[in-house]
Each structure stands twice: as C-alpha cells, then as structure tokens.
C-alpha cells in the first residue's frame, strides 16, 4: 500500500472508514512471528537481566547503595520481560501456541503475573477497549460525566481517590502486581454497571498454580541466597517495574481526544487505532519498553510482535502522526478522569461539562 498523502492529517482522516481499512491492511502485512528474532530477543533480555541481578547480589554485602544503583536498569529489563510475556499472551511472540504459553508461564516467575488469567483479562480488554457499555477488567476504570454526577458523595470521593495518578500508579500498581494478582477473584467496580469479568474457574487455576510456582521458585532462591538479601534486592525491582508498567498502561489510553462509544456505534478497529496513543519515547526507553508505546498499532493488530512494531510504523509514516504523545504531552493527561459525552473528550473532574 503506498503511503497516504501526508497533507491530510490523521485527525481529518480518523473517522474515514476507508483510511482505517487501508491502515489495517498495511498492519496485517506485519503479522506473525520471526522465531530467530524472538529467541535472540528473549535470550539477550534474560541474560542482561540475570547479569544485572547477579551484580546486585555481589554488590549487596559491600554497599546497599551500590546495589540500589542497579534497581532502575533491572526494572527496565523486567519491564521488557513483561512485554515478551505480553506478546506470548497474544500468540505473537513465536509461531507455536504451546511455545508461547510455556514461555509466558515461565516468565510469570519473574514478573509475578499469572499468565493465563492475565491473558484472558487482557484479551477481553482488547475486545472491548473504547466500548462504554462493555467496560471490563484489564483497563483503568473510567466513567462518564453523567455517571459521576449520579454517584453518591462517598463514591465520588472513592473515584477521585482511585483516579489520582499518585495512588493509581505509585500505590495501586505495586499492590495489583504483588498482592491483588495472588487472589483468585474478580475485582468488580463500584462506579458503573455492566463490568465484564473473567470466569472464576480459570482465575483459580491460573492464579493458584502461579502462586505455588512462585513459592517453590522463590523459596528455593531464598534458601540459597538468604531471604533478607532476596527481599532487599527483588522487591524494589518489582515495585519500580510496576510503576513503569502502570504509567505506560495509564498513558496508552488516557488522553484528551481518545475514543469512547456506546455499543451501537462502537467499532473495534476505529477504537483500537484512535483510542490508543503513540507514546514517542527516546530510543533507549523504547528498547526497554519493547516498543509498547506504539500502542495504536498494537491494539489495531495484536498479532504483530513487539520486534516488528517499529518496522510497521516506518513503512507507513502517517502512523507516527496518530495520537502522538511525547513525555511532556503525557503529563497533560494526568488530570483527565471523566469522559464527556457531549464534547467527546476526557476532562478533569472539575471541568465536568
């Protein structure tokens, strides 16, 4: 497909069905795994992660602050490991479903994410993203202005508290990764009706088997390395990783002119492309985050593995203009917490109409 005329802006074309269809056709050409690239990426990422973790354990008896200096690079590598697990969940990392699932479950030992339960919830998020009548587990809970106005004073307080980025990212993300994902229950919302959840039976099996595996794996490491040393090293890495992941997930759909529609008017492809951001990060940060910032492409075609996302965008320059968000731009999304159906934008709670 030849590139579109860049004189036309993405904003002008965003509701053009033919434009979206052409973009989908372009992205579909990048579907499918490249086993060599995948295995090299997996081997390199895990090797670097274990080298950094080993260096932290060696440095710990000398000085905790020397070890602490490596927390951020270790967390960056663990973030990338989660992106690889994420690709396995979409069946895009390798060509074999069994290989994807086995690698995804193995990586749970490092990320603490119960692979099968997360995969179900995340795919449900993809299937309903931007559908205001089908909001579900796997996303940042967002309500409309009218829904907020109908809440009791107590629920309004809890919604403001929940949607505070300081709480959501710095407190909520670590609690979700370390505590909440150990519990085999759906965590419903009190803010709106129709919340879609994951079948409880599948949650129990995935979560409890992951918990058992974590107990055996980390118990053996604690026996060998010492519980105190293991806790001092890995807990901060896991917390910082959850902060990074929480921030990325937040900005990927939280921007002013994102996409929300009622079920009757909702279009999956339009929602994927126009309701997800392109988070333009410096190359080093894009590497650590596995190009997940090219989220509009990922949502439009989740069968594209992370190592092909940049190739896909490079071949169609217009993709780099859709919902582009720099680090500075992303800070502007922090106050946006309600969907205004009249203006069709996200607005701060104080600006409800």
């Amino acid at each position: 497909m030849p590139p579109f005329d860049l004189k036309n802006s993405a904003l002008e074309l965003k509701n053009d069905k033919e434009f979206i269809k052409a973009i989908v056709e372009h992205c579909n050409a990048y579907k499918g795994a490249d086993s060599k690239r995948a295995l090299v990426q997996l081997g390199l990422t895990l090797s670097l992660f274990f080298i950094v973790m080993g260096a932290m354990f060696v440095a710990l008896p000398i000085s905790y602050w020397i070890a602490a200096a490596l927390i951020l690079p270790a967390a960056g590598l663990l973030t990338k490991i989660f992106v690889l697990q994420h690709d396995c969940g979409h069946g895009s990392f390798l060509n074999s479903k069994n290989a994807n699932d086995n690698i995804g479950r193995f990586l749970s030992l490092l990320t603490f994410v119960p692979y099968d339960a997360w995969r179900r919830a995340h795919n449900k998020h993809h299937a309903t993203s931007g559908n205001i009548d089908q909001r579900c587990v796997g996303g940042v809970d967002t309500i409309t202005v009218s829904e907020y106005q109908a809440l009791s004073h107590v629920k309004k307080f809890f919604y403001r508290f929940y949607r505070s980025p300081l709480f959501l990212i710095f407190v909520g993300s670590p609690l979700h990764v370390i505590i909440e994902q150990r519990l085999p229950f759906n965590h419903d919302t009190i803010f709106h009706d129709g919340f879609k959840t994951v079948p409880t039976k599948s949650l129990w099996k995935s979560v409890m088997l992951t918990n058992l595996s974590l107990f055996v794996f980390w118990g053996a490491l604690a026996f060998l390395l010492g519980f105190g040393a293991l806790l001092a090293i890995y807990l901060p890495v896991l917390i910082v990783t959850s902060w990074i992941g929480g921030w990325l997930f937040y900005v990927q759909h939280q921007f002013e002119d994102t996409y929300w529609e009622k079920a009757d008017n909702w279009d999956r492809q339009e929602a994927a492309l126009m309701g997800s951001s392109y988070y333009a990060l410096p190359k080093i940060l894009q590497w650590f985050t596995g190009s997940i910032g090219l989220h509009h492409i990922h949502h439009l075609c989740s069968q594209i593995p992370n190592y092909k996302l940049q190739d896909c965008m490079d071949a169609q320059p217009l993709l780099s203009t859709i919902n582009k968000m720099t680090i500075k731009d992303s800070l502007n999304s922090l106050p946006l917490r309600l969907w205004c159906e009249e203006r069709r934008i996200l607005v701060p709670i104080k600006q409800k109409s």
Side-chain angles (χ1 to χ4, degrees):
M1 181 188 70
F4 280 93
D5 182 356
L6 294 181
K7 292 179 182 178
N8 294 320
S9 70
L11 184 61
E12 292 169 342
L13 293 166
K14 67 183 297 184
N15 295 315
D16 188 321
K17 301 297 183 183
E18 290 302 314
F19 161 68
I20 293 175
K21 180 181 177 182
I23 289 293
V24 170
E25 290 176 357
H26 167 76
C27 292
N28 282 343
Y30 292 83
K31 279 183 177 180
D34 180 328
S35 296
K36 182 178 179 180
R37 289 179 72 178
L39 292 174
V40 167
Q41 185 183 53
L42 178 66
L44 177 62
T45 305
L46 288 176
S47 297
L48 289 173
F49 179 71
F50 290 129
I51 288 170
V52 173
M53 293 302 301
M56 292 177 74
F57 277 102
V58 170
L60 186 62
I62 303 170
S63 168
Y64 181 76
W65 296 111
I66 297 176
L70 296 173
I71 289 174
L72 189 56
L77 288 163
L78 188 56
T79 300
K80 184 151 189 172
I81 289 170
F82 174 74
V83 173
L84 307 190
Q85 184 185 35
H86 163 270
D87 278 7
C88 289
H90 284 294
S92 65
F93 190 63
L94 289 165
N95 287 309
S96 165
K97 182 181 186 302
N98 286 336
N100 280 316
D101 290 342
N102 289 333
I103 290 173
R105 292 176 187 130
F106 167 73
L107 296 180
S108 292
L109 296 175
L110 304 177
T111 66
F112 277 52
V113 175
Y115 171 76
D116 292 284
W118 174 86
R119 176 173 56 84
R120 284 176 173 267
H122 187 67
N123 287 334
K124 190 178 286 289
H125 159 68
H126 269 255
T128 60
S129 181
N131 188 330
I132 212 157
D133 295 322
Q134 296 284 319
R135 283 164 286 184
C136 70
V137 63
V140 176
D141 202 19
T142 303
I143 63 176
T144 67
V145 170
S146 59
E147 287 172 335
Y148 177 80
Q149 291 172 336
L151 293 179
S152 66
H153 290 298
V154 172
K155 287 186 176 181
K156 284 180 179 178
F157 168 79
F158 278 111
Y159 184 75
R160 290 195 301 269
F161 184 76
Y162 162 78
R163 282 300 302 246
S164 163
L166 288 177
F167 171 79
L168 199 60
I169 295 166
F170 290 104
V171 179
S173 291
L175 287 178
H176 175 69
V177 171
I178 299 169
I179 304 297
E180 190 177 6
Q181 292 194 109
R182 311 279 69 79
L183 307 175
F185 306 105
N186 281 298
H187 301 275
D188 211 335
T189 178
I190 64 172
F191 304 121
H192 60 81
D193 298 324
F195 189 71
K196 305 300 177 183
T197 57
V198 176
T200 303
K201 184 178 179 180
S202 66
L203 273 176
W204 269 88
K205 182 179 179 181
S206 176
V207 170
M208 297 312 290
L209 284 176
T210 301
N211 289 346
L212 177 62
S213 300
L214 289 170
F215 178 79
V216 172
F217 178 75
W218 288 102
L221 283 179
F223 178 78
L224 293 172
L225 302 173
F227 178 78
L230 197 64
L231 190 67
I233 291 298
Y234 207 74
L235 183 60
V237 171
L238 199 59
I239 290 173
V240 174
T241 302
S242 74
W243 289 344
I244 296 170
W247 173 250
L248 289 170
F249 194 79
Y250 187 85
V251 300
Q252 283 161 356
H253 300 285
Q254 307 297 312
F255 52 96
E256 187 176 65
D257 57 344
T258 188
Y259 179 102
W260 284 100
E261 282 285 357
K262 290 188 177 296
D264 291 344
N265 296 319
W266 179 81
D267 180 85
R268 189 192 68 79
Q269 293 176 340
E270 187 178 350
L273 187 62
M274 299 306 171
S276 308
S277 65
Y278 161 40
Y279 199 24
L281 295 172
K283 288 297 182 183
I284 184 65
L285 295 184
Q286 183 174 330
W287 186 89
F288 275 108
T289 57
S291 297
I292 199 65
L294 282 66
H295 210 63
H296 57 328
I297 300 175
H298 166 66
H299 253 258
L300 187 64
C301 191
S302 61
Q303 294 300 304
I304 302 176
N306 77 89
Y307 48 80
K308 288 186 178 180
L309 289 172
Q310 186 65 52
D311 298 338
C312 179
M313 190 165 72
D314 288 344
Q316 177 44 268
L318 190 55
L319 284 167
S320 67
T321 70
I322 298 174
N323 298 334
K324 184 176 182 179
M325 181 187 295
T326 64
I327 292 176
K328 181 180 179 181
D329 295 332
S330 66
L331 299 177
N332 296 328
S333 70
L334 293 179
L336 307 178
R337 299 171 194 181
L338 296 173
W339 178 249
C340 179
E341 292 182 284
E342 293 179 2
R343 298 170 59 193
R344 304 187 58 75
I345 58 172
L346 278 179
V347 297
I349 288 179
K350 291 182 180 180
Q351 183 188 334
K352 297 185 291 294
S353 61

